[in-house]
Structures are given as structure tokens and as C-alpha cells.
Amino acid sequence: MRKLFITIALGAALAGCGKHEAPPQNAVDASFEAKLQEQLLDAKPGSVIEIPAGHYALKRGLSLRTDGVTIRGAGMDKTVLSFKGQLVGPEGLLVNANDFTIANLAIEDTKGDALKINQGRNITIHGVRIEWTDGPKTTNGAYGLYPVKTQNVLVEDSVVIGASDAGIYVGQSNNIVVRRNRAERNVAGIEIENSVNADVYENTATGNTGGILVFNMPNLSQAGHATRVFRNKVYANNLDNFAAKGAAVASVPAGSGVVINSNDKVEVFDNDIADNKTANVIISSYFSTNYYNTRGVAADYNPYPKGIAIYGNRLKGGGDSPDGLKLKTLKTAMYGLGGHFPDVLWDGYVDPKDLVNGLPPANDRICIQDVNGVINADGPHDYKNPSNDVKPYQCTLPKLPPVVLNPEPKV
């Protein structure tokens, strides 16, 4: 199908002369918001909505429900949709559609989530900047880039700053690639939650509370497994946690590099991970999250991390100033006032039903190589008998296959 190109007009003068020149920075067209929403409502499969360079103020959230639409700006620092004065709608842009692409623009200061994509197939996010420009605040929107219940998802070359939950979050989704992004000053920089088959690589996560999170939470539509985290830079994620009370990420300690919680078949390899003050790598169960909900936990939920492989990373620093009284006390008791946790901190929870001679089945083990120590914090016994023994982790696991997006996205 031939693409239908739709260009947002920026006033009668431009429309009259037939040119689509970029307006001056901070120029505001009173009719821009209505025109843009009209273009979204009228879009047909194959439509490309071009938004020229400019700084546009919007009061209402936008929505799209048509399959096969592309929204494209002139660049993440040139085309800016500002929701600083947003009065209506929690999201900046809500998409319920398949075959959706958004590229080369910025969404700033939304009241709630910036870009939420719900239940779509073949989603591409390229060169998008999400930012809350007043810095980290609990009142900022929870999620920056937020595909949920999606399939065949690509998030690349984007920037997210200031989300009060997760900057880049892919949840309850399948077949995911998150690459070459920068996440900074969020609670969670990048989070893969309850998702299957995800590759997270060549990203930079710094200045967040937690850098890269791979989580499995209860009572969601699917359990997550098979995530590879590799060739990322995850450093100095020491920001005080500013998540809303009761949010799952509110329990993430400041100073967390890569965190695996209750997820299965996770590989972390070939990353540069440094100077995360609680620990460079944390492996934990649901029991350590301090996150409990009124519905309880579904009977089929597995709260234990299983089949975790940590190997071939370059780790340094970190672990010197853990967040929270229990972890501070544990660090001091084990390593002294001037000491630090080793590279990997495990809470010590293991499924007792799986144990044979004290070990879980071979493919459910936690296998750790090429690190400067591991601590089993003994969370089940309130940290009373922690251990530095590295022998239980001397094993290998079958390698996970690369994620292949099909069809391959085109920007």
C-alpha cells in the first residue's frame, strides 16, 4: 500500500505558501493541538504524520487507535511536544494499535505516563526523548516509554530522564529488543517485567536508583523468562528512590546496578558495571521486595529466581554504601566500616521444593563466573547466617538464543 503522507500544518501562512518550514523554537500555534489530534483520529493504515521542528505546548493527552501509522518528528531535540500544562488525560500519547512506529521527537513533562502502547504487534520506538524537565520528583509520570502486552517490540536510540517508576519499561510482552538507549535519573532506568524473549544491549543506564531491572511480579497476565542483558554500561546508579509509595520499584535500593527479581533464565554478560553503591548485581526473590498487595499472590506465581547466569562482565567499585539499615548492618558486619559488598548480592531465597542434596536442578541454578565474590545474604533467616562461599555458583547454563524481530522494523 502506498504510504499516505500527512504533514501537520502550522498556520494559514505556511499552508497558503505550500511550505513546511520549521517554526521558531518555543513557537506555539493555538490550533496545533486540535490539528494533531484530528490527524491521529483521521489516520489510515500507512499514514505518516510528520511533525516539523518546534516546541509545542499541549493541554490534553493524545491517542491513536489505527493500525499501521508512523509518527515522525525532525529530531529528539528539535520536535518537542510539551505537556507541562497538561489538564486532561493521564498519558502524553496512548496507542492501541499494531504496526506502529514513532521516531525522532521528544515528549516532555506529561502528567502521567509519557508514551504508552497497549496490546500492539510490531512496535518501533526510535530516537524518542522522554523527559521531566524539573528533575526527579515523585509527582513525575511513572513510565517514560511503556509498551505493555505487546509483541515484536523494538526500542532503540532513545533517551528517558526523570520517570518516577521506570524510564524504559516493557511489560507482559514477547520478542523484545531494547538497544542503544540512555536512561538517566529515573527510579528504574530500564525494566523488563513479566516478558518473554528480550535482548537488552548497548544501553547506558546511569544516575538512576536502579540501572537495569529484570522482574517477575505476581498477578499479571504472564510470567517472564529468557532475557539477555549484554554489552551495556551500567554505572553510578545511586539516586535516592523517589517512587510513589506502594509502587513495586519503591523497594529498589539506591545504588543497584543490574537487578534480577523472581525471573527465570536470565543471562547477564559482557557488560561494564561499576560504582553502584549497594551492589553492582543483585539477585533476589519476591520476598525481598517489601512489595505486598491487597489481592495476595496467585497460587501459580513462582517468586524465586531460577536459571540465572552471570559471566564475562567487567565489574569494579560499588557495594561500599548500601541503601537501607539491614544492608548497611550486614555490610559492616561482614566487611567492616571501610569494606564493601562483593560484585554480586543474592538474597538467598531458593525454592525448597526443588532442592536435591541442597541444590536445585541443574538448569535452575544460579551460575556466576568472573566476579570478585558473591554474598548470600541469608534473607530467609533475616541475614543471620550470610555466606561468602562461591562454590555453589560454579556452574554453567545453556545459552539463550538471540531475539530475532520478525518482521524486521523499518524506521
Side-chain angles (χ1 to χ4, degrees):
M1 179 182 292
R2 189 171 68 87
K3 290 185 176 179
L4 172 64
F5 288 85
I6 303 175
T7 301
I8 305 299
L10 296 177
L14 284 178
C17 67
K19 296 180 179 179
H20 302 295
E21 298 174 357
Q25 187 71 11
N26 297 320
V28 176
D29 182 343
S31 64
F32 172 83
E33 182 174 22
K35 291 177 181 177
L36 178 55
Q37 184 64 78
E38 183 180 359
Q39 299 286 13
L40 293 170
L41 291 171
D42 291 345
K44 303 293 190 294
S47 293
V48 177
I49 301 177
E50 301 272 6
I51 308 179
H55 190 282
Y56 307 104
L58 296 92
K59 303 291 186 184
R60 305 172 66 91
L62 304 167
S63 62
L64 172 70
R65 293 183 176 273
T66 301
D67 293 344
V69 174
T70 294
I71 300 174
R72 183 184 296 131
M76 68 165 66
D77 295 316
K78 295 180 179 179
T79 299
V80 180
L81 305 181
S82 174
F83 291 84
K84 201 169 187 68
Q86 185 175 5
L87 300 175
V88 179
E91 295 92 6
L93 174 60
L94 174 62
V95 177
N96 288 276
N98 303 312
D99 305 301
F100 171 72
T101 296
I102 186 167
N104 304 330
L105 54 78
I107 299 173
E108 294 182 349
D109 296 316
T110 54
K111 183 179 179 181
D113 307 325
L115 171 60
K116 183 175 182 180
I117 303 167
N118 192 36
Q119 295 184 324
R121 297 188 310 275
N122 308 329
I123 306 301
T124 300
I125 301 170
H126 170 86
V128 174
R129 177 173 59 84
I130 305 295
E131 185 169 358
W132 284 268
T133 59
D134 289 337
K137 292 182 177 180
T138 304
T139 53
N140 290 352
Y143 299 100
L145 300 174
Y146 185 21
V148 61
K149 297 184 179 180
T150 50
Q151 298 179 31
N152 215 54
V153 184
L154 173 63
V155 182
E156 66 176 7
D157 301 316
S158 295
V159 175
V160 184
I161 300 171
S164 66
D165 196 300
I168 298 171
Y169 172 101
V170 186
Q172 302 173 70
S173 296
N174 295 269
N175 224 46
I176 302 147
V177 172
V178 177
R179 66 189 180 196
R180 302 192 305 267
N181 303 286
R182 184 176 183 88
E184 186 173 347
R185 285 178 283 158
N186 310 283
V187 175
I190 298 170
E191 182 174 0
I192 307 298
E193 185 175 275
N194 290 73
S195 291
V196 178
N197 295 335
D199 272 359
V200 180
Y201 64 92
E202 296 176 4
N203 303 283
T204 297
T206 185
N208 308 284
T209 300
I212 298 178
L213 279 54
V214 183
F215 273 32
N216 229 9
M217 299 302 292
N219 308 322
L220 296 179
S221 62
Q222 68 177 34
H225 61 84
T227 294
R228 303 193 310 160
V229 178
F230 59 101
R231 298 202 303 269
N232 300 283
K233 297 183 184 300
V234 186
Y235 63 93
N237 292 284
N238 300 313
L239 182 66
D240 287 344
N241 195 315
F242 61 100
K245 185 177 180 180
V249 295
S251 65
V252 174
S256 300
V258 175
V259 184
I260 302 163
N261 184 269
S262 305
N263 212 291
D264 297 347
K265 297 181 182 177
V266 180
E267 284 186 43
V268 180
F269 63 96
D270 198 18
N271 299 282
D272 292 282
I273 310 174
D275 301 328
N276 302 286
K277 290 185 175 181
T278 290
N280 284 326
V281 179
I282 298 173
I283 303 170
S284 60
S285 74
Y286 177 76
F287 302 116
S288 290
T289 63
N290 296 320
Y291 172 70
Y292 300 98
N293 56 72
T294 56
R295 293 183 297 165
V297 174
D300 61 349
Y301 173 65
N302 186 341
Y304 303 97
K306 297 182 179 182
I308 311 301
I310 314 290
Y311 62 94
N313 299 286
R314 293 161 295 280
L315 303 108
K316 66 177 182 179
D320 55 319
S321 183
D323 186 23
L325 180 59
K326 285 188 175 182
L327 290 177
K328 288 181 187 296
T329 302
L330 176 63
K331 191 273 293 184
T332 302
M334 292 290 290
Y335 306 104
L337 287 172
H340 58 84
F341 280 139
D343 288 329
V344 180
L345 169 64
W346 175 41
D347 68 358
Y349 283 92
V350 63
D351 191 344
K353 299 191 302 295
D354 285 352
L355 296 180
V356 178
N357 296 324
L359 291 174
N363 287 345
D364 287 349
R365 293 181 63 183
I366 295 174
C367 299
I368 302 173
Q369 303 172 31
D370 312 310
V371 300
N372 181 26
V374 181
I375 180 170
N376 174 349
D378 191 34
H381 303 103
D382 202 27
Y383 306 106
K384 290 179 180 178
N385 296 294
S387 172
N388 286 319
D389 186 4
V390 298
K391 291 180 182 178
Y393 319 105
Q394 295 176 354
C395 54
T396 59
L397 293 167
K399 298 293 189 293
L400 296 172
V403 172
V404 177
L405 298 177
N406 186 20
E408 182 71 23
K410 296 179 180 179
V411 179

